[in-house]
Amino acid sequence: NAGVTQTPKFQVLKTGQSMTLQCAQDMNHEYMSWYRQDPGMGLRLIHYSVGAGITDQGEVPNGYNVSRSTTEDFPLRLLSAAPSQTSVYFCATSALVANYGYTFGSGTRLTVV
Amino acid sequence: DQQVKQNSPSLSVQEGRISILNCDYTNSMFDYFLWYKKYPAEGPTFLISISSIKDKNEDGRFTVFLNKSAKHLSLHIVPSQPGDSAVYFCAALIQGAQKLVFGQGTRLTINP
């Protein structure tokens, strides 16, 4: 049982490049979300989804796109990377009926130069 | 506007003593509160939670206290152990809204 799997673990991008951060879960959780962690800022919600075909914006959505075509996968796309997007990105999932214990992936450390 | 605040970036405690981590929130609509623990290079892991209908919840060495009138919660760890050294995040949500809001985190160091 893998839980929440994020790939890649590390990535360096040049300004203007695009990439997709992958998140896959095998727990059949309806809810999936993306957070970014920055020093002194805690974790901030980027986008989230309550089920396949349904997505919504979080606190800091600008510069990021998401889609949810299956229950298992919730990719995060950076269309044109900027240095301000240098951060550690975490995917988190939960069952909608349970308001506790969100399961987090191990993170993707992204550097934009 | 930071809705959940952890005003102490770091805390150092001697092994065996009590660790108290504090968290304040501004949104009175929050009705569920959680604490997460994070080790370097890992994702946060759930530690303990409390509903707004309670003022205390215990789980082994960990106790969370909620003071709704002061919009304040705290995490007590007794006794503190070296493995407790980590970053602790306080988080809050409105049940049904599914948007977990985190504080900035407090780095706890347990000294032998």
Side-chain angles (χ1 to χ4, degrees), chain A residues 31 35 37 40-43 45 48 50 57-59 90 94-107, chain B residues 1-2 32 34 36 38 41-46 49 87 89 93-105:
Chain A
Y31 179 83
Y35 285 85
Q37 182 192 4
M41 303 293 289
L43 292 101
L45 181 64
Y48 66 99
V50 297
Q57 296 181 350
E59 182 185 357
F90 291 100
S94 78
L96 283 177
V97 296
N99 281 314
Y100 61 89
Y102 283 34
T103 302
F104 281 80
S106 58
Chain B
D1 181 32
Q2 192 82 23
Y32 205 87
L34 308 92
Y36 283 81
K38 185 183 180 304
E42 294 183 11
T45 56
F46 169 71
S49 63
V87 176
F89 289 99
L93 59 79
I94 302 169
Q95 294 191 69
Q98 292 290 337
K99 286 187 179 182
L100 199 56
V101 180
F102 284 85
Q104 305 96 313

Side-chain angles (χ1 to χ4, degrees), chain A residues 45-47 57-65:
Chain A
L45 181 64
I46 304 171
H47 285 285
Q57 296 181 350
E59 182 185 357
V60 289
N62 293 340
Y64 307 95
N65 282 346

